[in-house]
């Protein structure tokens, strides 16, 4: 049994680090770009007079970083080779290792840097759930949008959550009624990330069946300019800027060609990438927790108190850090093991002509949930401990910990709340079978 990363993954991380130091960090420090990352970050990123949306110059900087990463061959790493990706047989392991590495790095870690600014889900190694959904379920015409997505000319939000429904998605109130030539969609969606710059909304609506049924939900690719579609607000959050919109659809007509996948089978599309996302999120959270603890140890060792005594000599400082560091290391190993298991299950499924994400859900959903819910909780604890050890400095915006806490706190809600994930684990441990509706969340 070997717990080392495969040599090709280690080489990739080394080349990625060299690229970041050679091209991304100089861009981050050029002109006054540091304003987006130092104590001015929230102010510099946010257009407070325009609904709290991201400032164009902030998003332009992220685009420049992605362009450099794409040119260097890193950005599309996790995509199928048909779209310029590397189609690595251990993609889940690789992406977990990459996200942990970037978030824990002593120079640009914590999820706060131009290489990997997780507030915007931005990274020089990209994550593309929308591309994979269209790749697996889209028509030939819809798949032509994928190259445009990589060029930044096509952008889609993900419209599952509603003002009154989140984890209970099968009770959604948005409905699509079949009419001559297509469908009319009525309802509302909340937390439509990226709505200010999108060209389309991926909207999930009930087309048949009863409340609570996983069947009868359809996904639609709705152009932004469709008549009857309105962005009514952008929700301000703990971390600003916001690009999280509430969208209302009032009898919005879409043609039959707008259906993504099969009618009544849209919930399967929503589940296509959920476990991959949850594992990558867990790896980022675990890495950011490591970053917070490493910085805390440095601070405790260098801070002199009471006439020259090191702060680190106090057990009240040592013991909480020891507990958190132990959890980080155990969790890191579970995350990497889960990545290996996911790659194995996916490979077996493909050889047997099955859908990999279905088999991952069936065999490993509890394990992915363990990684995700605990990592997202752990990073909040680690950031809070870092704030405490740094004292007043930790509470200030001159240090990254308050920003880390505010960002990663949202992960305990998004990608499936921790309560939903704990229930999945409980179902596995205690052997009870959830209802069809609950299984699909």
């Amino acid at each position: 049994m070997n717990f080392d990363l495969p040599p090709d993954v280690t080489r990739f991380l080394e080349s990625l680090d060299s690229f970041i130091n050679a091209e991304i960090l100089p861009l981050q420090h050029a002109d006054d770009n540091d304003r987006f990352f130092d104590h001015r970050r929230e102010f510099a990123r946010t257009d407070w007079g325009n609904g709290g949306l991201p400032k164009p110059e902030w998003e332009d900087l992220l685009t420049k970083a992605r362009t450099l990463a794409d040119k260097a061959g890193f950005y599309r790493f996790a995509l199928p080779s048909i779209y310029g990706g590397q189609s690595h047989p251990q993609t889940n392991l690789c992406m977990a290792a990459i996200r942990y590495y970037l978030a824990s790095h002593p120079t640009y870690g914590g999820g706060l840097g131009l290489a990997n600014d997780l507030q915007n889900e931005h990274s020089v190694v990209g994550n593309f759930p929308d591309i994979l959904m269209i790749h697996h379920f889209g028509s030939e015409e819809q798949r032509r949008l994928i190259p445009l997505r990589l060029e930044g000319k096509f952008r889609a939000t993900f419209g599952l959550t509603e003002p009154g429904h989140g984890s209970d998605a099968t009770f959604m109130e948005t409905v699509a009624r079949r009419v001559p030539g297509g469908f009319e969609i009525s309802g509302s969606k909340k937390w439509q990330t990226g709505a200010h710059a999108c060209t389309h909304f991926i909207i999930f609506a009930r087309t048949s069946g009863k409340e609570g049924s996983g069947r009868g939900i359809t996904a639609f690719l709705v152009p932004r300019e469709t008549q009857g579609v309105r962005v009514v607000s952008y929700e301000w959050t703990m971390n600003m800027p916001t690009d999280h919109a509430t969208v209302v659809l009032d009898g919005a007509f879409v043609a039959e060609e707008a259906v993504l996948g099969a009618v009544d089978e849209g919930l399967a599309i929503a589940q296509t990438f959920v476990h991959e996302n949850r594992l990558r999120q867990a790896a980022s959270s675990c890495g950011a927790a490591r970053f917070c603890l490493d910085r805390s140890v440095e601070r405790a060792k260098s801070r002199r108190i009471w006439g020259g005594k090191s702060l680190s000599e106090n057990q009240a400082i040592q013991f909480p850090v020891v507990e958190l560091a132990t959890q980080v290391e155990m969790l890191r190993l579970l995350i990497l093991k889960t990545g290996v298991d996911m790659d194995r299950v996916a490979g077996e499924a493909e050889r047997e002509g099955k859908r990999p994400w279905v088999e991952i859900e069936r065999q490993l959903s509890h394990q992915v949930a363990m990684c995700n819910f605990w990592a997202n909780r752990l990073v909040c604890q680690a950031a809070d401990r870092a704030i405490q050890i740094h004292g007043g400095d930790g509470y200030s915006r001159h240090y990254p910990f308050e920003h880390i806490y505010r960002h990663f706190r949202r992960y305990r809600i998004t990608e499936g709340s921790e309560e939903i994930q704990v229930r999945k684990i409980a179902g596995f441990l205690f052997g009870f079978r959830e209802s069809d509706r609950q299984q699909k969340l």
Side-chain angles (χ1 to χ4, degrees):
M1 185 177 293
N2 186 353
F3 291 94
D4 294 331
L5 289 175
D8 62 330
V9 178
T10 301
R11 288 193 296 270
F12 181 89
L13 294 176
E14 291 171 350
S15 62
L16 179 62
D17 191 52
S18 297
F19 161 72
I20 292 170
N21 280 282
E23 299 197 47
I24 299 300
L25 289 182
L27 176 61
Q28 178 174 324
H29 300 317
D31 302 320
D32 191 26
N33 289 338
D34 278 329
R35 74 189 187 277
F36 296 117
F37 305 97
D38 62 19
H39 64 280
R40 301 167 289 174
R41 53 188 171 261
E42 196 166 42
F43 177 80
R45 297 176 178 193
T46 307
D47 191 343
W48 300 101
N50 186 29
L53 290 172
K55 284 186 177 178
E57 53 266 41
W58 163 233
E59 295 194 308
D60 288 345
L61 181 61
L62 298 179
T63 298
K64 290 178 182 177
R66 288 192 295 267
T67 300
L68 288 173
D70 200 13
K71 183 178 179 180
F74 294 106
Y75 185 54
R76 307 187 191 195
F77 172 81
L79 285 176
S81 56
I82 189 175
Y83 306 121
Q86 298 192 21
S87 295
H88 198 286
Q90 293 179 291
T91 295
N92 288 297
L93 170 63
C94 292
M95 286 298 289
I98 290 166
R99 288 303 171 95
Y100 178 86
Y101 181 81
L102 291 175
S104 64
H105 196 280
T107 302
Y108 47 77
L112 179 61
L114 187 55
N116 195 55
D117 193 277
L118 296 174
Q119 181 190 1
N120 297 73
E121 302 301 330
H122 157 84
S123 179
V124 291
V125 182
N127 205 36
F128 307 98
D130 54 338
I131 288 181
L132 293 181
M133 284 189 288
I134 295 173
H135 171 65
H136 289 301
F137 293 94
S139 64
E140 183 177 348
E141 186 66 27
Q142 289 167 341
R143 286 197 292 272
R144 293 195 181 103
L145 295 170
I146 293 176
L148 299 179
R149 160 69 168 85
L150 293 166
E151 295 171 14
K153 298 176 182 178
F154 165 80
R155 298 178 182 177
T157 69
F158 185 77
L160 191 63
T161 301
E162 298 184 349
H165 299 282
S167 297
D168 59 340
T170 55
F171 284 83
M172 68 176 61
E173 297 175 42
T174 300
V175 297
R177 181 173 64 92
R178 190 179 285 278
V179 296
F183 294 82
E184 282 187 354
I185 308 174
S186 295
S188 58
K189 296 294 177 179
K190 196 170 185 178
W191 306 115
Q192 296 296 279
T193 302
H196 70 298
C198 76
T199 60
H200 291 71
F201 302 97
I202 298 176
I203 297 294
F204 293 83
R206 182 162 292 285
T207 44
S208 69
K210 60 182 181 179
E211 287 188 347
S213 172
R215 181 174 170 78
I217 294 171
T218 302
F220 298 90
L221 202 54
V222 181
R224 179 187 175 89
E225 302 305 322
T226 300
Q227 186 174 353
V229 177
R230 292 180 294 123
V231 174
V232 296
S233 64
Y234 287 95
E235 316 309 325
W236 288 34
T237 60
M238 285 177 69
N239 247 6
M240 293 292 281
T242 179
D243 60 352
H244 312 294
T246 295
V247 178
V248 170
L249 301 98
D250 185 10
F253 172 80
V254 293
E256 189 81 33
E257 291 76 19
V259 173
L260 181 60
V263 173
D264 292 338
E265 300 293 340
L267 201 59
I269 298 175
Q271 294 176 308
T272 305
F273 200 65
V274 66
H275 294 94
E276 286 85 348
N277 263 352
R278 286 176 178 170
L279 189 70
R280 295 171 192 184
Q281 192 181 79
S284 293
S285 293
C286 188
R290 171 68 182 272
F291 173 86
C292 290
L293 296 176
D294 286 348
R295 296 287 291 273
S296 296
V297 169
E298 291 174 5
R299 174 75 168 198
K301 290 168 68 175
S302 63
R303 183 72 181 266
R304 298 293 166 179
I305 59 172
W306 308 119
K309 179 182 178 181
S310 169
L311 182 63
S312 64
E313 295 179 40
N314 292 284
Q315 291 180 341
I317 298 297
Q318 298 170 3
F319 285 13
V321 172
V322 167
E323 290 186 10
L324 291 170
T326 301
Q327 293 182 52
V328 165
E329 183 59 15
M330 291 189 295
L331 183 61
R332 181 186 71 87
L333 293 172
L334 178 61
I335 288 169
L336 295 176
K337 176 187 181 299
T338 301
V340 170
D341 290 343
M342 290 172 68
D343 290 326
R344 172 182 54 78
V345 169
E348 292 171 354
E350 289 176 351
R351 286 191 293 271
E352 295 172 6
K354 299 177 181 177
R355 291 183 169 181
W357 54 90
V358 174
E359 290 305 303
I360 289 172
E361 160 68 24
R362 188 177 66 83
Q363 300 182 42
L364 298 172
S365 62
H366 66 286
Q367 194 168 310
V368 175
M370 286 178 178
C371 295
N372 189 266
F373 103 86
W374 195 253
N376 299 334
R377 187 181 294 182
L378 183 60
V379 67
C380 292
Q381 295 172 354
D384 184 74
R385 180 51 47 185
I387 290 170
Q388 193 70 18
I389 289 174
H390 283 76
D393 288 340
Y395 186 70
S396 78
R397 298 194 180 201
H398 292 267
Y399 285 74
F401 310 115
E402 57 83 32
H403 182 99
I404 291 171
Y405 180 89
R406 286 188 289 120
H407 167 70
F408 283 94
R409 180 60 182 84
R410 91 181 199 191
Y411 282 175
R412 294 174 64 186
I413 301 169
T414 61
E415 291 296 330
S417 69
E418 65 179 39
E419 291 83 1
I420 290 294
Q421 298 192 60
V422 167
R423 182 168 173 80
K424 275 186 172 289
I425 300 166
F428 171 79
L429 292 177
F430 293 97
F432 63 79
R433 292 219 25 111
E434 297 177 320
S435 69
D436 177 66
R437 172 184 63 81
Q438 291 166 327
Q439 284 281 4
K440 290 181 177 295
L441 296 181

